[in-house]
Amino acid sequence: MYLDSNGDGVHSSADVLHGTGPTVVDIWLDTAHNRDGSTTHCSAGTTQPLSMFSYEVTLEATDGTAVFSSFTNRLIQFAHVVGGRSDGSHFYTGAYSTTAGIVKAPGRYLLGTFNVNVDGGTPSIRMVPTWPGSPSEFTEFGSECDGTQFPNSMMFETDWFDADGLAFEAGGGGNQTPSLAPLADMNVLAGEHASQSLSATDADHQPLTFATASGPSFLFVQTLDVGAGTASGEIRLAPRAGDIGTYAANVSASDGTAADQVSFNITVSPSPNHPPVILQSPTVNVIAGRVANRFLRAGDPDGDLLHFAMVSGPAYAQLSDLLSRPGSVSAVLRTAPTLCDVGTASARISVSDGAAQSTTDVSIRVFPPSAAPSSPLRTTPNSGDIWASRVGDMNGDGIPDVVSTYEGLARVTVFLAAGDGNLMPGVSYEISGSSYDVALGDVDRNGTLDVAVPDLTGHVNVLLGRGDGTLLPAVQYSIGNDVEAIAVSDLNGDGILDLVSANQVEGTVSVLTGVGDGTFRPKRDSSAGVRPRFIAVSDFDLDGRPDLAVTLIAGRSEPALLFLPGLGDGTFGAPIPGPFTGFAISVISGDWNVDGKPDLALSDLRNHTFQTFAGQGDGTFASPVSFWSSPEPYGLASDDLNGDGIADLVAGDIGDSTRVFFGNGAGGFPRRTSFAGLPAQYVALGDLNQDGLADIVSGSFGALYVRLNTFASGNTAVEARAFVPKEQKPIFAGSDRDAIEIRLEPVHESYANEQVDLSSLTLSSEGTGSFSQIHSVVPRDAVVSDTDRNGIAEIGITFTRSDLDALFDRVDRTKMVNAELRGSILDGRTFCAGVALNVKNVGPPHAVVFAPNPLNPRSKLTFATTRPGSARAQLFDLQGRLVRTLLDVAVLEAGTHEVFFDGKSSRGQPVSSGVLFYRLTSTEGTFEGRIVVLK
């Protein structure tokens, strides 16, 4: 091992420490030859070559003091494992290691570079075995050879001795200022992106970094390669509509002591309005009688305010905005289906900026309640140490399958699901190296899932799905080295999935933007701290652009969590440290306190805990909250496992057991359950037995495990029976009765009569009338009795004649109609009961209906006349006092008419909650009914 200070790659008397100015020092290691040129071997008497897979170096300044810069690693595929440090007398590079399984053959290697400035005296620099007093900072390199002190470690002055340092020499020169190449002025349209390359040189051959010296907030500068005298970087612009104008900007290149600056101008011009982008389009699986919530997010390139709306969808689905910021909005889609809703449906969701809108269709699948599986644990034998698994429907049969990778094996395996929780034998496909992660997504937009698998040598393998569960051969794309995490997401808002990886060696994240046909453009890198390992994608700063949360392998006192703000084009701004200093094994995002701000959860192997971090909505996170201590915490996954509409967490522990933590909707997980016998390093979730509940998938050596969900099984839906009293059975719409009563009773004691929300009851019938749904008359109290004498008490539900006329005014003959009586229980659960109605011909279409009833927040009176004449519509209170005249005309033409009621009296004041009576007089006669006002 030797130090080189004149850049020729060899050690000679010309390599000295200059007394004036910086000295740029390279550290070289020749594992193939001794100083005298002889061939090296593991030890005397053997011929085994001396390989190398890690290194760390400690230096000492004698006869004076020096100031050391940070160390720049020059070996590709070597990642920072332990941080370095220095003082006036000593310098430690830190520990660097290759990716698992990669070993450097005997040869001469440039390990890295640092700068030295003499601070006092006439110091020379030599290598020392260890930092004085430190138990862990050595000079050594890892090898397949065994050392005399430690296995696979060749220690200086124990296993090898040749080392050449630097002698002091007076002279030298002052630090030379870097030179930054001129920059062109930049023009960009609001809501779009622009970039410009940066290049700088340094006569002292020092590493350089670029930074923004001054400029607008939408200007970002990245250092892509610090170089050894020539550095490269990039300027990135991401303006919004509010940034239109001309700005002066300055960018600097620095060697740590001196810096050069270059000025340029930025002009942001107006552009046509950009439509908003829906960032998430989730699917919904829900069990009848239970609740499912799914979060949606959208962004706007122009930074406009956005609003979600449900264009169409089933009656049991409701969409509500959670949080809106300029350029961003979040919402929750709540589904609460009944037994009548079992099957598939779709909700069309739109997001609008006021000028343009985008839509997406959310698929909803409603499952009937089912009994708990008799044997929850299913095992699929497999050869190999399964590492990561993902769940997705690979063959288009509606049942999620499992895709897994292996530690130490260059293959990915697809396990098709049988539909009962069991998996078919796996089919494997070759990839370019072993992998710790896998991601699924439809990258070629043909409706089938594809597979992306990173290896440890700088590639991601993309295997396109054929749609039948088989995969095409892998195609490799260049990313960074030592990648343990990859994600699929649309990072540039073009509706096409992209790939993003965390590169431990380079300290970057790489984004490969998708073309849309299954191919990808060359990677674009962004700085991501020291040894980034795991990533989570979400809009953490609520600006409508996907961001990254990145965990690092860092020292005990160093930040190990970063926020990378997305610029909306697949690149990121400068990293912002987060409140975490542990050793994360897994990180996921979610909104566990339902405030519209994405949160984080991670497993901390250093402190043996699982932690959550509440998002603040600006890219920062609250201090961690530990929700469980565990011997060896590993994988995390999140879904609603018990069907209460609140997301839960599944945590795997290699040395303990897998646990489920049930969320309370406020960000906490106070209730938990555990089960042993389920090995879990990393976990995935998916409904493998088609009961509407997410199951747990994990792998270990020799097997893949499925633990079927038993947390919300069993018939828990609200069941009700609706019937018509015998004495009323032949009398319905079009009859002389003012009101019709339907009886409602609980089934299997799934609720009590007093739990029924009397204001929620509706009667529905599709295609039989002017309206497909009417509301019941809301009584003050429900009268409970057992009229059919079956031992179960029921309540009576009343519907007015005019409302029934509107529901059945398209029935042209007397016939039986199957209608649905729907309602809610006070605890939020819903029910649906079919009821057969003997509907008589209702005659001419002059039905009168007030809907919606109850009023919410306004209602409409609809009626028809067959000839011209006068018409008057009035509202009265319970005492018969006139509240408001809605219509009073001498001549009203024949046809269909609509009159609106906004809930206000004739004086313009809001009407109190209660019951109002309406009276309509027209050429067709006088019609009376009730409308309920609820506030």
Side-chain angles (χ1 to χ4, degrees), residues 766-829:
E766 295 291 338
T768 58
S770 302
F771 288 82
S772 60
Q773 184 183 85
I774 59 175
H775 283 264
S776 69
V777 176
V778 182
R780 293 185 177 180
D781 297 296
V783 178
V784 179
S785 60
D786 182 12
T787 59
D788 61 349
R789 299 181 181 180
N790 65 349
I792 303 174
E794 73 270 353
I795 58 176
I797 311 299
T798 302
F799 295 91
T800 66
R801 172 189 168 183
S802 58
D803 286 348
L804 288 166
D805 282 347
L807 190 63
F808 298 118
D809 61 15
R810 293 177 183 170
V811 176
D812 56 3
R813 55 188 175 83
T814 301
K815 67 176 182 179
M816 295 297 296
V817 174
N818 294 316
E820 292 179 352
L821 182 65
R822 296 174 179 262
S824 301
I825 305 301
L826 294 176
D827 63 8
R829 293 180 295 162

Side-chain angles (χ1 to χ4, degrees), residues 685-815:
L685 300 175
D687 180 14
L688 271 67
N689 64 341
Q690 295 296 277
D691 62 355
L693 299 168
D695 307 306
I696 303 171
V697 177
S698 67
S700 69
F701 183 78
L704 187 64
Y705 298 91
V706 175
R707 206 284 181 181
L708 297 179
N709 191 327
T710 58
F711 306 115
S713 299
N715 193 344
T716 57
V718 178
E719 291 187 78
R721 169 180 172 247
F723 64 94
V724 178
K726 290 183 178 180
E727 65 273 13
Q728 291 187 9
K729 195 165 188 178
I731 307 172
F732 283 93
S735 73
D736 296 331
R737 290 181 178 270
D738 291 332
I740 302 300
E741 183 184 68
I742 298 175
R743 306 295 293 181
L744 180 72
E745 69 179 26
V747 176
H748 298 141
E749 299 182 342
S750 61
Y751 70 92
N753 283 310
E754 58 269 21
Q755 292 180 292
V756 176
D757 181 355
L758 299 176
S759 66
S760 70
L761 299 168
T762 63
L763 187 66
S764 303
S765 178
E766 295 291 338
T768 58
S770 302
F771 288 82
S772 60
Q773 184 183 85
I774 59 175
H775 283 264
S776 69
V777 176
V778 182
R780 293 185 177 180
D781 297 296
V783 178
V784 179
S785 60
D786 182 12
T787 59
D788 61 349
R789 299 181 181 180
N790 65 349
I792 303 174
E794 73 270 353
I795 58 176
I797 311 299
T798 302
F799 295 91
T800 66
R801 172 189 168 183
S802 58
D803 286 348
L804 288 166
D805 282 347
L807 190 63
F808 298 118
D809 61 15
R810 293 177 183 170
V811 176
D812 56 3
R813 55 188 175 83
T814 301
K815 67 176 182 179

